[in-house]
Amino acid sequence: MLFFLLAGHALMDFALQTDAIAACKCRRANHPLQRSVPWFYWLGAHAMMHGLAVGVIVRWFGHDWTVATGLAIAETVVHAFIDMAKCEKLFNIHVDQALHALCKLLWWGLLATSVIPL
């Protein structure tokens, strides 16, 4: 499952994150699309894509909808805060990606050790 959580992250953060999302999700960006769509819509949509990936993978591995939804929401919130901090230049992309990977490790660890039961 850990591989799929990390692969889902790679899919959402690289293959499916458009240049517009990457630029417009940052509060201080100066992108023409931000005139019609505020930064927090872009960031929220991006974070929800990550939450969706986590929820689908957790459900695919046999956990119930409550567990999948809970981790999907947790991923959405945490991903948004990490990306917001990166956008504010509190850390670089390497720290950003390490924090995202640590989150996937945490979700997997909570499930693998039955802290969150099947």
Side-chain angles (χ1 to χ4, degrees):
M1 178 190 295
L2 180 58
F3 169 81
F4 290 102
L5 290 170
L6 292 169
H9 173 78
L11 179 67
M12 295 301 167
D13 235 19
F14 296 99
L16 296 181
Q17 182 174 202
T18 64
D19 290 342
I21 293 170
C24 292
K25 70 181 179 182
C26 295
R27 182 170 61 107
R28 299 183 198 284
N30 186 20
H31 195 283
L33 288 173
Q34 282 182 320
R35 289 187 207 119
S36 56
V37 180
W39 68 272
F40 48 88
Y41 282 30
W42 294 96
L43 180 61
H46 174 69
M48 284 191 288
M49 289 170 60
H50 281 275
L52 174 69
V54 167
V56 166
I57 291 163
V58 168
R59 182 71 179 128
W60 181 39
F61 273 84
H63 295 276
D64 68 27
W65 282 106
T66 304
V67 171
T69 303
L71 287 176
I73 292 168
E75 174 66 23
T76 299
V77 170
V78 173
H79 196 96
F81 278 111
I82 291 169
D83 277 15
M84 194 181 321
K86 184 191 70 177
C87 286
E88 295 296 321
K89 300 188 185 326
L90 298 178
F91 45 76
N92 62 28
I93 189 169
H94 305 298
V95 174
D96 168 77
Q97 290 302 304
L99 291 172
H100 291 314
L102 284 172
C103 288
K104 304 313 178 288
L105 186 61
L106 175 62
W107 311 147
W108 172 77
L110 290 171
L111 295 168
T113 59
S114 297
V115 170
I116 299 175
L118 183 64

